[in-house]
Amino acid sequence: MTHPMWRIATYGAVFFGVTSFTIFWTRFAGGLALVWLGSAIGAALFLALPRARHPLAAAILIALSTLATSLFGFGPTWAFPLALVNIFEAWFIAWLLVRFRPERDYVDSAAGIVSLGFFAGLIGPATAAIPGAIIVSQIVGGNLATHALSWLVGHGLGTMLAMPLALLLQSYRRLNFAPLREAGRTLPFAGLMLLSIGISAIAFFQSTFPSLFFPVVPLVLASFRFGRFGASVVVLLISMAAAASLGMEIGVFAELEIPLWQKALFVQFYLATLLLISLPLAVALKQRQRFLEELIDREAMQRLIADHSDDALLHLDQHGTIRFASPASARLSGRESTDGMHLGAFFSDFDKQVVSDALDAAAESPGRTEIVERSVERDGKTKWLEAKLRAIESSKQQTSAYVVTIRDVTDRKLEEIQASFEARTDALTGLPNRRAFLDELEGRLDVAEKQPFAFALIDLDHFKRVNDAYGHSVGDSVLKEVAEIMRDSTNQDCFFARLGGEEFGMIAVGPALESSAIISERLRRTIQQHAMTDVNGGSFSVTASIGIAVIGERCSTSMAMQAADGPLYSAKASGRNCVRHAQDLKRFAQIDEPPRNKPIAAAN
């Protein structure tokens, strides 16, 4: 890393030489120098130094600027004030660039180039133009606005011409010269530089035919072949040729019927235009090359992942047709190849519409992941596949493709099913629990007006006596055997569940609704007639009271429970071991009145 003092010394020497040359050769009629490159060199130095070194660098540059103006410009009287303004301009340009573009990508991105042109070519020179014009008007007289405009044009164009190359060459943004040293590139670079000199000579040193556009050719070639550095060097060579032609008054510029100072401004505008053509082009090409390299690296990584992943990685076109499928696709799809097939090939035929709907949903919201989870048959076994798909939006805001991952989630799905079953199943009896029953009840209540159903509450009579007389283990056995009786009566139209303790529930729909009273009475008799066994091998019986109601309109869960709870209370009040209902269900079937039985839980 270059020591700050060596950097200050190097930039100071270049600054003094360049400013002395421009003051001596570009001051016409005793006014301002029409080309001022000193601000670019000074600003590049301030950018390269830590802030603590700025005062020292500024003092040295002010001294050098004062000396150059004293020797080749307005003389020693006004040299120091002008030096103060010139170096302030350079420092202010550097401050603006760091303050508003801290990324320091002034020659690396389009935004950086715009920042460079705005702050270095306009704002910085404009800020110094007024105090500079005031000083010059005191020296040579004349119009203040004219001097300010001359300052703005000369300093702005000069800074724009010199600063890109200065930034590329300075150490804070180190340039990689390795490509120029590679075999097969050194000679082309030298040849292109010679070509630029030759074409520039033809363009500027003759006036037979218009040829100012000729230098654009080597400039574009340099931008494509050697990037920003090549473009900056070619602009510098073109500038030298143009300055030589202007100074010798030979060629196309000599034919212009305007004063020499206006010719000098025209040359600066011409050169600045070339720079603004080549530099953004070189930056864009560099960014494109970097993007392509990153794309190649990313594609290689994705291929590696795809080849060794258990998930199927897919790339689809805008119609959902598979354009790329990773090796795992054959196993998950059950096909040797899925190329050219629709994404639905991974799923059953009746799920193709589900897949198409998911693709449409993803296309409507690019960036959002849609998930399809379906069961499939593979080798006689049921498996679950999960597809995650996302649409890729093109520059025209239209879906141009999809990316999809598909994985086997059978184990997870079975765990979810088992967890859901356990969450909805009574652990003791194996019947659906209260939660599952209420879910079923709520679903039936939503359509009760169109599909009436019967709802029953079943309560074992004096069950506490069973626990007290035989123990809780026998009580649990009684609940299990009652649940088995209910399971024998369960079908797609008749649903039983344990609601808690010794209370059960029943929902009957469709054909079971018509025979719900018979089902309830048969259940009561079966429970009564079923012999229960105690721990000593003895037998006893239990009975049940049942309240049943028909729900034919939508209502709340609590109201439905109350509709069946009333008949249940009536059954218990009537001596238990009977069925009572809120509506006249005897029209569905002839029900014999149950005989009075001996007390519940009496031993035989």
Side-chain angles (χ1 to χ4, degrees), residues 21-39:
F21 178 83
T22 54
I23 292 173
F24 182 78
W25 287 103
T26 66
R27 288 181 67 244
F28 304 111
L32 286 167
L34 294 179
V35 178
W36 183 256
L37 309 178
S39 294

Side-chain angles (χ1 to χ4, degrees), residues 453-459 494 496 504-509 512-523 545-551 560-572 578-586 588 591:
F453 64 94
F455 173 41
L457 291 177
I458 306 155
D459 190 82
C494 193
F496 287 93
F504 298 82
M506 181 192 77
I507 295 176
V509 299
L513 167 62
E514 301 296 321
S515 58
S516 58
I518 297 176
I519 294 172
S520 299
E521 178 59 26
R522 184 185 302 122
L523 176 65
S545 298
I546 302 174
I548 184 171
V550 173
I551 309 298
M561 297 288 284
Q562 291 174 10
D565 195 55
L568 176 62
Y569 179 79
S570 176
K572 289 183 175 294
C578 62
V579 177
R580 293 291 182 265
H581 39 80
Q583 298 184 24
D584 186 9
L585 298 182
K586 290 184 179 180
F588 298 134
I591 302 177

Side-chain angles (χ1 to χ4, degrees), residues 311-314 316 322 332 342-347 351 354-359 362 368-376 378 383-390 402-410 412:
D311 298 345
L313 307 181
L314 309 176
L316 317 180
I322 300 171
L332 294 177
H342 191 269
L343 178 60
F346 280 82
F347 301 93
D351 287 330
V354 175
V355 175
S356 297
D357 292 342
L359 290 171
R368 187 180 71 183
T369 300
E370 296 292 330
I371 300 177
V372 176
E373 192 176 80
R374 311 298 290 180
S375 62
V376 296
R378 295 286 184 269
K383 293 186 177 182
W384 285 85
L385 298 183
E386 177 191 72
K388 293 183 178 181
L389 50 102
R390 177 178 292 192
Y402 299 89
V403 288
V404 182
T405 63
I406 300 179
R407 64 173 50 184
D408 186 338
V409 293
T410 303
R412 189 199 74 194

Side-chain angles (χ1 to χ4, degrees), residues 172-187:
Y172 93 99
R173 180 68 74 184
R174 186 175 58 187
L175 182 67
N176 183 10
F177 290 95
L180 299 181
R181 298 193 296 266
E182 292 177 359
R185 290 178 65 89
T186 303
L187 289 179

Side-chain angles (χ1 to χ4, degrees), residues 380-596:
K381 297 180 180 179
T382 299
K383 293 186 177 182
W384 285 85
L385 298 183
E386 177 191 72
K388 293 183 178 181
L389 50 102
R390 177 178 292 192
I392 301 174
E393 191 175 63
S394 67
S395 58
K396 297 181 180 179
Q397 295 186 345
Q398 296 177 346
T399 298
S400 60
Y402 299 89
V403 288
V404 182
T405 63
I406 300 179
R407 64 173 50 184
D408 186 338
V409 293
T410 303
D411 293 341
R412 189 199 74 194
K413 194 65 179 178
L414 292 178
E415 290 176 358
E416 291 177 357
I417 293 173
Q418 181 63 27
S420 176
F421 174 79
E422 292 175 356
R424 297 170 59 85
T425 302
D426 179 60
L428 177 64
T429 64
L431 286 178
N433 59 16
R434 186 180 187 88
R435 174 182 174 182
F437 185 80
L438 292 178
D439 288 345
E440 179 71 16
L441 178 59
E442 289 174 358
R444 292 298 173 184
L445 289 173
D446 289 339
V447 295
E449 293 180 355
K450 296 181 179 179
Q451 301 176 20
F453 64 94
F455 173 41
L457 291 177
I458 306 155
D459 190 82
L460 300 184
D461 299 324
H462 299 298
F463 187 72
K464 185 176 181 301
R465 297 180 184 177
V466 175
N467 285 328
D468 292 342
Y470 305 106
H472 286 282
S473 60
V474 174
D476 289 347
S477 297
V478 170
L479 293 175
K480 292 179 183 179
E481 295 189 41
V482 170
E484 190 62 33
I485 294 171
M486 292 179 178
R487 209 170 353 256
D488 291 339
S489 299
T490 299
N491 55 47
Q492 62 181 2
D493 297 321
C494 193
F495 178 84
F496 287 93
R498 184 189 179 196
L499 304 184
E502 68 272 21
E503 187 178 34
F504 298 82
M506 181 192 77
I507 295 176
V509 299
L513 167 62
E514 301 296 321
S515 58
S516 58
I518 297 176
I519 294 172
S520 299
E521 178 59 26
R522 184 185 302 122
L523 176 65
R524 183 198 67 79
R525 290 180 178 177
T526 304
I527 292 173
Q528 178 187 3
Q529 295 168 3
H530 185 81
M532 306 293 178
T533 304
D534 61 23
V535 293
N536 298 319
S539 62
F540 64 94
S541 64
V542 296
T543 60
S545 298
I546 302 174
I548 184 171
V550 173
I551 309 298
E553 60 183 16
R554 187 171 182 175
C555 63
S556 65
T557 303
S558 60
M559 291 180 65
M561 297 288 284
Q562 291 174 10
D565 195 55
L568 176 62
Y569 179 79
S570 176
K572 289 183 175 294
S574 300
R576 293 182 171 82
N577 192 22
C578 62
V579 177
R580 293 291 182 265
H581 39 80
Q583 298 184 24
D584 186 9
L585 298 182
K586 290 184 179 180
R587 63 186 178 89
F588 298 134
Q590 184 64 39
I591 302 177
D592 297 332
E593 287 296 330
R596 293 296 178 182

Side-chain angles (χ1 to χ4, degrees), residues 108-329:
D108 294 329
S109 69
I113 293 173
V114 172
S115 299
L116 181 65
F118 183 67
F119 294 118
L122 180 61
I123 300 300
T127 304
I130 295 177
I134 292 174
I135 295 174
V136 174
S137 65
Q138 296 297 318
I139 302 172
V140 300
N143 185 273
L144 182 65
T146 302
H147 290 313
L149 179 61
S150 298
W151 183 291
L152 175 62
V153 173
H155 285 232
L157 292 176
T159 303
M160 280 302 299
L161 283 173
M163 198 160 182
L165 186 58
L167 291 174
L168 286 171
L169 291 174
Q170 68 172 325
S171 60
Y172 93 99
R173 180 68 74 184
R174 186 175 58 187
L175 182 67
N176 183 10
F177 290 95
L180 299 181
R181 298 193 296 266
E182 292 177 359
R185 290 178 65 89
T186 303
L187 289 179
F189 180 77
L192 184 57
M193 297 305 105
L194 292 175
L195 177 65
S196 301
I197 295 173
I199 291 180
S200 298
I202 295 174
F204 302 138
F205 286 87
Q206 60 83 32
S207 58
T208 305
F209 56 89
S211 55
L212 288 180
F213 60 90
F214 280 7
V216 174
V217 176
L219 189 58
V220 173
L221 289 175
S223 300
F224 271 93
R225 192 77 172 88
F226 301 103
R228 299 161 298 165
F229 179 75
S232 298
V233 172
V234 169
V235 169
L236 180 61
L237 295 176
I238 295 173
S239 301
M240 294 172 61
S245 171
L246 182 64
M248 297 171 63
E249 297 188 7
I250 299 175
V252 64
F253 299 123
E255 299 297 323
L256 297 176
E257 296 181 358
I258 54 177
L260 183 59
W261 67 271
Q262 292 184 3
K263 294 179 182 180
L265 291 179
F266 173 77
V267 170
Q268 288 189 78
F269 274 112
Y270 170 76
L271 296 174
T273 301
L274 292 182
L275 183 68
L276 292 176
I277 290 174
S278 62
L279 198 56
L281 175 62
V283 169
L285 291 172
K286 181 66 176 179
Q287 290 178 335
R288 179 176 179 272
Q289 180 183 0
R290 186 182 300 119
F291 173 77
L292 290 176
E293 291 173 354
E294 291 177 354
L295 188 62
I296 292 172
D297 292 342
R298 187 178 303 174
E299 182 177 0
M301 179 63 70
Q302 290 176 344
R303 292 280 182 176
L304 180 63
I305 294 173
D307 290 344
H308 296 82
S309 174
D310 291 333
D311 298 345
L313 307 181
L314 309 176
H315 190 202
L316 317 180
D317 64 15
Q318 66 270 30
H319 304 296
T321 303
I322 300 171
R323 297 194 299 196
F324 166 79
S326 66
S329 301

